[in-house]
């Protein structure tokens, strides 16, 4: 299904969508940073490079209650499972983040299904947006992705000058377009060309290119090399990279009390860069050094998920590099890995 | 002139280097405008050292890491040379005062600094994309999308602390090398205008303060970046927020704004007595929380109460940790 959306019609579309769902879109915050927020009347920013913050927090929340409990005076305990059924529509998701959501969906629907996240995905409509410009740290083409990929989206949008080219991908997306068909216009025959134009100009501007797909299944051979020490020396072991990563899926669970008789069992983001992440009750820690923890992050993204799910869990958004307070670059690590792999093969 | 300073640092290091020494400095990365800390473990690595307008990371924080992990090479037996901007040197002074690092171990090299640019500010001005940066006099010439060129005044990209100028004073300490022209440097910082208005005003009522705290701190994601880059945070595995030895959680990690605010409130009160105002917490924060503004407020309070400013010398005891005989109990 191919349509056109005139740019001045965007606000009326959002207004219409808001009637039965929360609409989340990239807007400028008062800190002069683009972030995904529920929109009211602010101007939605559907141009420029991808935002510093990913929309991950609307699928996999920073923290969420899994069940609440109350203890009555008689001693009876009642447990209530948290069950969010709010509909949400996330607009302006870039292809890298769409890939990440796709990965997350697969990850959480494996042998043990995560009903909280799957329910939230079920209730979300994801509207993608092709990237017209990369950011300094972007390297999606290195992972075999492209700035106009539609995988994972329900509807894909692309800036075509005076209008957006809109493509319904899934049934859910097509239904949304059908329900608002008076806002959209029919598309012309060669409208789809805008995607290949955007792809060409955006890919040309991407600064970092290294063929990571050629390293598939080979990254593991760098496990015992000495490249990790170089980066772990300067790594300060914060979790900025993992918390801003759109594919990092680890969480911790804990209980907390709200009052004397009430409490909840909640989960929060957790990071493998933290010492306590793998700490055993016995006091033993299998990943006690910074070197092991940094290696774990890289290996998980480029080797372990390849082993388990036959895909990289990195989409090349470059946010880890952008937020690192000490300037550790994922591309630099990958280049070092490539060197080790190449030397090993000779 | 900056090239000359970089050259002078290298030749100084070459001349004082003895086998078994180690140095901490900066080097280039492949990303325009990003410099990364660099550990020089043998003499022939000295030439990879870089010092320019983008060397924002304070290396003082690595001195606290020596307790936490083994970054010293096995054959280390000499001195640890550390290159510092004057503001970072104040953090090193504070670590000396707090007896966290031995003065015998560290050889401090203070570098004349003309203001440090924040790469993320420049990136924001260039709307997210910079492919090349060149420095010309007091401007950056940046290449953006499609090769478009933009000239940006360096002053617009300065870290907040650089335009403030309150942390630029050289420490009262006899044992450091100064690279550059000291009189010229002192003249430059005396001309800095302290025009920046503080976010946290002394005249604010508790209600206004609470509102501000709620607004600014609730976006925290608890990544611990502020704590881990802080040169004044040296409790390592005895930190209140995570105690690996006993694995006790004193503060919920649940993202309720009350927890995030409490996290920072604990840090403000705990760190303020040795916070030199280096602003690393704010620079490291991925959520752009103006943390240094809060620390500045606590530092002002401390100055009013005790006339004490952390990081001035290598031997002043923390005012909240020491007392004089006969002193009135508060």
């Amino acid at each position: 299904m191919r349509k056109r959306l005139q740019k001045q019609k965007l606000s009326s579309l959002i207004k219409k969508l808001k009637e039965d769902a929360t609409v989340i879109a990239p807007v400028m915050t008062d800190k002069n940073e683009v972030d995904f927020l529920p929109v009211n009347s602010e101007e939605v920013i559907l141009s420029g490079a991808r935002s510093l913050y990913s929309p991950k927090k609307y699928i996999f929340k920073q923290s969420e209650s899994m069940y609440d409990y109350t203890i009555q005076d008689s001693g009876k305990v009642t447990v209530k499972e948290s069950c969010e059924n709010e509909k949400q529509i996330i607009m302006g998701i870039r292809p890298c983040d769409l890939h990440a959501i796709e990965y997350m969906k697969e990850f959480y629907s494996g042998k043990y299904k995560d009903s909280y996240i799957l329910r939230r995905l079920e209730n979300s409509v994801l509207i993608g947006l092709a990237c017209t410009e990369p950011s300094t740290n972007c390297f999606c083409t290195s992972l075999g992705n492209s700035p106009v990929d539609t995988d994972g989206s329900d509807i894909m949008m692309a800036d075509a000058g005076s209008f957006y080219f809109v493509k319904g991908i899934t049934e859910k997306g097509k239904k949304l377009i059908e329900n608002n068909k008076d806002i959209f216009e029919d598309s012309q025959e060669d409208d789809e060309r805008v995607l290949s134009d955007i792809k060409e100009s955006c890919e040309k501007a991407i600064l970092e290119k290294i063929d990571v797909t050629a390293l598939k299944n080979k990254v593991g051979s760098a496990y015992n090399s000495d490249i990790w020490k170089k980066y772990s020396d300067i790594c300060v072991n914060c979790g900025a990279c993992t918390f801003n990563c759109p594919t990092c899926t680890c969480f911790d669970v804990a209980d907390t009390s709200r009052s004397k008789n009430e409490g909840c069992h909640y989960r929060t983001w957790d990071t493998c860069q933290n010492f306590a992440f793998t700490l055993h009750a016995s006091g033993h820690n299998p990943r006690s050094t910074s070197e092991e923890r940094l290696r774990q992050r890289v290996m998980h993204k480029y080797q372990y998920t390849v082993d388990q799910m036959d895909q990289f869990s990195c989409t090349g958004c470059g946010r880890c590099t952008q937020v690192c307070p000490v300037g550790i670059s994922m591309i630099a690590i990958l280049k070092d890995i490539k060197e080790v792999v190449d030397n090993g093969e000779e | 002139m900056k090239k000359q300073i970089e050259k002078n640092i290298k030749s100084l290091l070459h001349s004082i280097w003895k086998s078994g020494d180690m140095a901490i400095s900066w080097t280039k990365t492949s990303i325009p405008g990003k410099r990364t800390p660099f550990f020089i473990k043998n003499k022939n690595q000295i030439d990879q050292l870089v010092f320019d307008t983008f060397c924002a990371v304070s290396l003082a924080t690595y001195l606290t890491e020596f307790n936490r992990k083994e970054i010293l090479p096995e054959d280390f037996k000499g001195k640890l040379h550390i290159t510092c901007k004057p503001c970072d040197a104040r953090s090193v002074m504070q670590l000396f005062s707090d007896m966290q690092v031995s003065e015998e171990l560290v050889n401090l090299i203070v570098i004349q600094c003309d203001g440090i640019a924040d790469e993320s500010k420049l990136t924001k001005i260039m709307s997210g994309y910079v492919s090349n940066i060149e420095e010309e006099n007091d401007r950056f010439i940046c290449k953006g999308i499609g090769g478009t060129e933009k000239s940006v005044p360096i002053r617009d990209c300065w870290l907040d602390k650089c335009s403030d100028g309150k942390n630029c004073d050289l420490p009262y300490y006899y044992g450091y090398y100064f690279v550059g022209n000291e009189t010229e440097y002192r003249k430059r910082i005396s001309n800095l205008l302290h025009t920046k208005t503080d976010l946290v005003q002394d005249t604010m009522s508790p209600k206004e303060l609470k509102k501000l705290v709620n607004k600014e701190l609730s976006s925290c994601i608890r990544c611990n970046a502020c704590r881990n880059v802080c040169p004044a945070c040296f409790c390592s595995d005895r930190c209140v927020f995570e105690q690996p030895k006993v694995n006790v959680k004193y503060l919920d990690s649940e993202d309720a704004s009350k927890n995030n605010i409490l996290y920072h409130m604990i840090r403000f009160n705990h760190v303020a007595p040795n916070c030199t105002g280096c602003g690393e917490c704010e620079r490291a924060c991925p959520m752009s929380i103006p943390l240094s503004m809060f620390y500045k407020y606590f530092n002002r309070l401390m100055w009013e109460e005790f006339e004490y400013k952390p990081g001035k010398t290598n031997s002043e005891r923390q005012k909240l940790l020491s007392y004089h005989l006969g002193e009135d109990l508060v």
Side-chain angles (χ1 to χ4, degrees):
Chain A
M1 186 185 266
R2 291 169 180 77
K3 292 278 177 191
R4 272 184 180 192
L5 174 69
Q6 295 297 335
K7 282 193 174 169
Q8 67 267 28
K9 287 261 181 80
L10 183 69
S11 56
S12 53
L13 175 69
I14 291 174
K15 216 169 157 189
K16 185 85 190 295
L17 294 178
K18 263 178 68 181
E19 282 170 11
D20 44 20
T22 315
V23 179
I24 293 150
V27 290
M28 191 61 89
T29 65
D30 53 359
K31 280 173 189 148
N32 198 16
E33 203 73 75
V34 179
D35 194 3
F36 283 85
L37 290 174
V39 281
N40 292 314
S41 54
E42 303 95 320
E43 202 185 330
V44 174
I45 297 170
L46 294 180
S47 61
R50 60 122 182 84
S51 59
L52 171 56
Y53 309 124
S54 82
K56 163 171 114 169
K57 58 187 171 190
Y58 292 103
I59 307 292
F60 172 37
K61 293 204 165 177
Q62 188 187 336
S63 85
E64 65 175 317
S65 159
M66 304 180 85
Y67 57 79
D68 298 279
Y69 60 83
T70 40
I71 306 165
Q72 276 142 14
D73 291 336
S74 59
K76 200 184 158 221
V77 180
T78 43
V79 175
K80 196 175 153 252
E81 193 194 354
S82 314
C83 179
E84 272 180 42
N85 263 323
E86 270 179 47
K87 293 229 180 310
Q88 57 180 8
I89 297 168
I90 312 179
M91 283 183 92
I93 314 177
R94 302 309 173 100
C96 50
D97 294 336
L98 288 170
H99 277 296
I101 293 173
E102 187 85 333
Y103 163 80
M104 218 181 267
K105 196 173 179 178
E106 198 177 329
F107 179 86
Y108 286 121
S109 54
K111 195 176 166 195
Y112 301 101
K113 298 203 171 11
D114 190 316
S115 58
Y116 299 88
I117 281 161
L118 294 178
R119 192 185 301 134
R120 209 167 283 136
L121 274 169
E122 191 75 7
N123 285 329
S124 308
V125 181
L126 308 175
I127 305 181
L129 176 72
C131 271
T132 48
E133 287 171 21
S135 84
T136 313
N137 301 293
C138 284
F139 60 98
C140 64
T141 49
S142 303
L143 273 304
N145 299 340
S146 109
V148 295
D149 280 352
T150 56
D151 323 22
S153 66
D154 294 308
I155 297 172
M156 196 66 190
M157 281 166 65
D159 196 331
S162 63
F163 63 92
Y164 295 105
F165 170 63
V166 180
K167 200 172 165 186
I169 310 285
T170 61
E171 280 311 312
K172 214 186 329 183
K174 284 175 187 164
K175 213 177 120 196
L176 188 141
I177 295 176
E178 194 59 40
N179 289 344
N180 301 288
K181 58 173 179 249
D182 49 325
I183 296 174
F184 295 98
E185 288 170 17
D186 287 333
S187 72
Q188 309 290 324
E189 215 165 84
D190 58 345
D191 273 359
E192 186 131 13
R193 232 188 50 212
V194 68
L195 287 177
S196 53
D197 289 350
I198 288 175
K199 184 176 157 116
E200 196 191 14
S201 71
C202 185
E203 282 185 358
K204 212 164 76 188
I206 290 176
L207 293 174
E208 298 283 5
K209 275 174 194 127
I210 162 175
D211 193 4
V212 184
T213 46
L215 294 175
K216 204 168 177 178
N217 280 317
K218 290 180 193 158
V219 178
S221 62
Y223 189 87
N224 286 320
S225 75
D226 50 8
I227 58 169
W228 311 109
K229 182 90 177 122
K230 190 168 117 193
Y231 298 102
S232 68
D233 270 355
I234 57 172
C235 175
V236 292
N237 286 306
C238 69
C241 49
T242 51
F243 283 4
N244 282 283
C245 174
T247 63
C248 270
T249 41
C250 291
F251 58 84
D252 188 16
V253 286
D255 294 278
T256 186
S257 58
R258 302 235 184 271
S259 69
K260 200 180 154 201
N261 296 325
E262 279 176 333
C264 78
H265 186 68
Y266 68 92
R267 70 163 159 207
T268 59
W269 291 350
D270 200 359
T271 164
C272 54
Q273 302 306 297
N274 192 335
F275 180 91
F277 185 75
T278 45
L279 184 67
H280 295 181
S282 65
H284 170 66
N285 193 342
R287 286 202 288 269
S288 61
T289 65
S290 164
E291 190 180 349
E292 289 161 321
R293 295 199 289 276
L294 187 128
R295 178 174 62 197
Q296 164 65 21
R297 179 168 75 93
V298 179
M299 280 288 164
H300 184 262
K301 299 244 171 281
Y302 302 101
Q303 182 64 51
Y304 302 155
T305 52
V306 172
D307 294 343
Q308 289 158 11
M309 295 157 73
D310 195 34
Q311 59 173 306
F312 294 116
S313 52
C314 169
T315 64
C317 70
R319 287 190 179 95
C320 49
T321 311
Q322 190 172 352
V323 297
C324 182
V326 293
I328 297 175
S329 151
M330 193 52 117
I331 276 284
I333 299 177
L334 285 169
K335 278 179 184 160
D336 280 354
I337 292 176
K338 190 173 186 306
E339 209 168 287
V340 172
V341 170
D342 289 350
N343 287 341
E345 274 179 359
E346 270 165 22
Chain B
M1 197 198 70
K2 271 171 199 143
K3 276 270 157 284
Q4 189 56 43
I5 286 179
E6 190 184 296
K7 231 183 200 168
N8 289 351
I9 303 169
K10 285 178 189 167
S11 56
L12 173 68
L13 272 177
H14 272 293
S15 66
I16 57 177
W17 192 275
K18 293 196 182 72
S19 76
D21 279 7
M22 185 182 143
I24 311 181
S25 191
W26 301 274
T27 193
K28 273 205 165 80
T29 67
S30 61
I31 305 145
K34 265 213 171 163
R35 304 290 174 264
T36 183
F38 177 46
F39 288 32
I40 302 170
K41 290 177 181 172
N42 60 58
K43 205 174 177 177
N44 51 30
Q45 287 178 313
I46 292 176
D47 289 325
Q48 293 173 37
L49 175 158
V50 163
F51 179 75
D52 62 11
T53 324
F54 286 109
C55 293
V57 185
S58 163
L59 303 174
T61 187
Y62 292 102
L63 294 180
T64 68
E65 297 267 317
F66 288 118
N67 312 328
R68 220 176 288 174
K69 57 183 182 183
E70 283 119 30
I71 41 179
L72 287 174
E74 275 165 25
D75 56 346
F76 177 81
K77 55 178 191 293
K79 280 246 180 194
L80 177 67
H81 309 290
I82 176 165
T83 54
C84 281
K85 294 157 286 172
C87 46
D88 305 341
R90 297 167 56 84
S91 304
V92 179
M93 285 304 119
Q94 191 56 36
L95 288 169
F96 286 163
S97 310
D98 293 338
M99 290 182 270
Q100 289 303 309
V101 204
S102 150
E103 282 178 54
E104 267 95 70
L105 176 79
V106 178
N107 178 24
L108 191 61
I109 300 169
V110 184
I111 305 167
Q112 181 183 357
C113 155
D114 283 332
I116 296 294
D118 187 350
E119 174 261 351
S120 65
K121 271 190 192 170
L122 182 63
T123 313
K124 254 184 222 174
I125 294 173
M126 295 296 293
S127 47
Y129 183 87
V130 197
S131 63
N132 190 35
I133 304 166
E134 280 188 35
E135 209 175 314
E136 246 172 53
N137 300 322
D138 55 351
R139 298 182 90 83
F140 288 126
I141 313 293
C142 310
K143 266 211 175 103
I145 286 282
T148 48
E149 273 195 350
K150 197 168 174 180
S151 156
V152 182
I154 294 182
R155 250 168 191 275
D156 288 2
C157 312
W158 268 2
L159 292 163
D160 285 348
K161 64 175 173 186
C162 298
S163 46
D164 185 299
K166 282 179 185 156
N167 305 319
C168 297
D169 300 338
L170 289 165
Y172 295 97
Y173 183 55
Y174 56 90
Y176 63 80
Y177 290 94
F178 192 86
V179 181
N181 186 331
E182 205 169 323
T183 15
E184 206 177 90
Y185 176 75
R186 284 185 195 278
K187 205 175 143 202
R188 183 184 82 84
I189 60 165
S190 66
N191 287 337
L192 279 175
L193 297 167
H194 306 306
T195 49
K196 193 125 175 93
T197 46
D198 285 320
L199 184 73
V200 192
Q201 301 280 349
D202 291 347
T203 50
M204 276 181 165
S205 68
K207 217 173 177 181
E208 285 170 310
L209 270 175
K210 197 177 166 193
K211 205 175 144 196
L212 183 76
V213 160
N214 277 331
K215 180 177 162 263
E216 297 293 347
L217 303 182
S218 50
S219 61
C220 173
I221 55 169
R222 300 278 288 281
C223 65
N224 285 335
C226 52
R227 183 195 68 177
N228 288 17
V229 294
C230 179
C233 267
F234 44 71
C235 300
S236 62
D237 56 359
R238 280 165 200 84
C239 178
V240 68
F241 304 122
E242 87 193 23
Q243 302 218 349
K245 293 262 161 65
V246 284
N247 205 8
V248 173
K249 240 181 193 166
Y250 290 111
L251 182 61
D252 264 340
S253 46
E254 193 196 11
D255 163 44
S257 54
K258 69 162 202 274
N259 289 332
N260 295 345
I261 290 166
L262 195 55
Y263 173 87
H264 287 289
M265 281 302 179
I266 293 171
R267 286 209 67 229
F268 292 154
N269 284 292
H270 181 47
V271 177
N274 43 357
C275 168
T276 60
C278 70
E280 280 291 278
C281 44
E282 185 173 322
R283 191 186 61 78
C285 181
M287 308 308 285
S288 323
I289 300 173
L291 289 166
S292 64
M293 288 294 177
F294 290 96
Y295 286 101
K296 228 185 246 170
Y297 171 71
F298 280 87
N299 272 348
R300 272 206 308 276
L301 293 182
M302 220 158 46
W303 177 257
E304 279 160 22
E305 199 64 41
F306 304 109
E307 292 209 2
Y308 164 67
K309 195 177 173 193
K312 214 162 76 182
T313 72
N314 61 330
S315 56
E316 197 173 7
R317 297 291 293 139
Q318 270 189 34
K319 281 293 178 279
L320 298 181
L321 295 181
S322 56
Y323 66 98
H324 299 294
L325 282 177
E327 190 178 0
D328 281 345
L329 291 172
V330 185

